[in-house]
Amino acid sequence: MTLRALAEKVWERMTKDHAGEWGMDIDQWDWVPGVGVIATLEYGEAVGRPEAMSYLERWIARNKEKAGQAKVINAIAPFAIFPALYRLTGDESYREEAVRAAEWLVSEAPRTREEAFEHTVTENVAFAEQVWADTVFMAVLFLARTAAMVGDEVYAKEAQRQVLIHLRLLEDTDSGVLFHGWNCGSRDHMSAARWTRANAWIAAGVPLILKETEPLIPAPGELRERYARLMEALVRFQQDDGLWSTVMDRPNYYRETSGSAGIAYGLLKAMDGGLIPYERRFKEAADRALQAISPFIADDGTVGGVSGGTPVMESVEAYDRVPIYPTLYGQGLVLMLLAESIRQEGDERD
């Protein structure tokens, strides 16, 4: 089956009615459907699929009333599609809503004592003074895209600053990869898990963020150096079968497809954007991951091997007990990898 056919199956499965199913219900306003619509945008742009862009307009029309229910980091994720839709349609409401959300982020969103966006969620639980890798994809990506849309250097600088703060706080200097979270109060990485999907959110998000912000303001050299060091380290933890374990330094833990797809996508985008050299080892790592993930895509387009929603767990061992079930972020990260692979293959043919 071609990559285009696989991508279409994954996308169509994602956009079906899964009402009431937490991991697959796209008609909500939170990070899970947020990743789904971000991936739909990537897919529509990469393969020239106008149906995907039309779907996003209809999705916003159905769900926009839910957008103001909670001002938290995770609920920012769906807004990341607004700048592209504004450019596509000229509808000022997309621009206005994006600016409103960006102003909340830079002016009101809770921050830790180290000035990182505190990871806040829609569920009735608080993670005071906690920094999670997830925030970079769920909120900072949106801020970068809004910066590009309105030409705002303040937004662009804050987006780059947040990336750098997260890289500084989460880096494991021994291995080069990232821990899942950091507690600014206790000054530790809590369970100190080198969780694969945490690394994937940053691997995938940073090339997209710099693509939007660097035309406005150069990225600090330290940011680029830290990101390149991360990507070098991630390749070293890839298993022989092409995937990454759910905790990357625990090869006996189960393999996890969403994190593996996010890292592979990040490798492709980082090479394309000049953040890491275009070298065979990086390309082969991404290709091996894609090849290993493909058998996890069922005939109906469902992506298997995806770990469920995962806060910073109480121990490293607890990550291996997180249940596996289909989710929109699993569909989405795999769709992004497929779409970028299709796009780059097309570039090479041209």
Side-chain angles (χ1 to χ4, degrees):
M1 184 175 291
T2 66
L3 293 182
R4 283 181 179 270
L6 272 179
E8 184 172 355
K9 283 173 46 173
V10 170
W11 179 66
E12 288 183 349
R13 181 63 174 167
M14 185 165 62
T15 54
K16 289 185 182 301
D17 182 7
H18 299 280
E21 186 179 345
W22 178 86
M24 290 291 286
D25 186 356
I26 202 164
D27 283 316
Q28 300 298 324
W29 200 278
D30 201 1
W31 72 277
V32 177
V35 177
V37 295
I38 289 168
T40 294
L41 176 63
E42 293 287 305
Y43 170 60
E45 291 182 336
V47 305
R49 187 80 186 271
E51 300 95 325
M53 312 308 280
S54 298
Y55 174 84
L56 293 176
E57 293 184 72
R58 297 194 303 274
W59 182 86
I60 291 172
R62 290 198 310 269
N63 294 289
K64 62 184 178 182
E65 297 303 321
K66 304 171 186 174
Q69 292 178 0
K71 290 184 176 180
V72 297
I73 287 297
N74 272 350
I76 292 295
F79 286 110
I81 66 174
F82 278 48
L85 291 178
Y86 170 67
R87 294 189 185 100
L88 180 68
T89 68
D91 186 337
E92 285 290 333
S93 67
Y94 294 130
R95 185 182 190 279
E96 291 165 1
E97 286 300 299
V99 170
R100 179 190 63 78
E103 280 298 310
W104 176 81
L105 262 184
V106 299
S107 303
E108 300 179 43
R111 296 177 186 241
T112 69
R113 64 194 67 186
E114 283 138 339
E115 285 296 302
F117 292 145
E118 184 181 282
H119 192 79
T120 50
V121 298
T122 52
E123 293 84 2
N124 187 27
V125 62
F127 301 104
E129 289 286 343
Q130 289 190 21
V131 179
W132 293 14
D134 316 42
T135 298
V136 169
F137 195 92
M138 304 309 163
V140 181
L141 172 58
F142 154 75
L143 186 60
R145 288 179 170 176
T146 304
M149 178 184 68
V150 299
D152 192 309
E153 291 186 7
V154 173
Y155 291 170
K157 186 174 182 180
E158 183 61 27
Q160 292 180 4
R161 179 169 173 260
Q162 287 296 322
V163 170
L164 185 52
I165 291 172
H166 280 73
L167 288 172
R168 285 172 176 169
L169 293 177
L170 298 175
E171 184 182 48
D172 171 27
T173 54
D174 291 334
S175 68
V177 300
L178 305 178
F179 293 111
H180 186 177
W182 167 258
N183 189 311
C184 297
S186 56
R187 310 291 300 171
D188 60 38
H189 292 103
M190 296 173 279
S191 57
R194 300 166 184 87
W195 184 46
T196 287
R197 196 161 64 233
N199 283 265
W201 292 131
I202 290 184
V206 170
L208 299 175
I209 289 165
L210 295 188
K211 177 184 176 183
E212 302 287 352
T213 58
E214 287 206 302
L216 294 170
I217 182 170
E222 182 190 350
L223 189 163
R224 285 175 154 267
E225 290 162 11
R226 285 181 179 273
Y227 179 77
R229 188 158 63 241
L230 166 65
M231 301 310 284
E232 287 269 2
L234 289 176
V235 170
R236 294 197 294 270
F237 282 97
Q238 188 176 26
Q239 301 299 318
D240 290 342
D241 60 10
L243 299 175
W244 281 261
S245 301
T246 193
V247 176
M248 61 179 53
D249 59 332
R250 300 293 178 97
N252 56 315
Y253 284 16
Y254 67 80
R255 304 293 193 262
E256 208 280 321
T257 53
S258 69
S260 297
I263 292 169
Y265 171 84
L267 287 166
L268 292 178
K269 295 297 286 189
M271 286 189 290
D272 191 54
L275 296 174
I276 58 176
Y278 195 95
E279 294 180 359
R280 176 180 295 179
R281 61 199 176 101
F282 293 133
K283 183 64 166 62
E284 287 181 347
D287 289 345
R288 287 175 57 225
L290 176 60
Q291 186 174 17
I293 288 165
S294 295
F296 283 87
I297 303 173
D299 290 341
D300 68 355
T302 302
V303 176
V306 178
S307 64
T310 309
V312 178
M313 304 296 282
E314 68 275 10
S315 67
V316 174
E317 290 70 27
Y319 284 82
D320 197 36
R321 298 192 293 270
V322 174
I324 295 171
Y325 51 83
T327 69
L328 292 167
Y329 54 82
Q331 302 287 129
L333 287 168
V334 169
L335 182 61
M336 290 171 69
L337 173 58
L338 288 166
E340 184 60 20
S341 298
I342 293 165
R343 189 189 70 80
Q344 291 199 13
E345 281 188 3
D347 288 350
E348 289 169 7
R349 283 196 300 269
D350 291 343

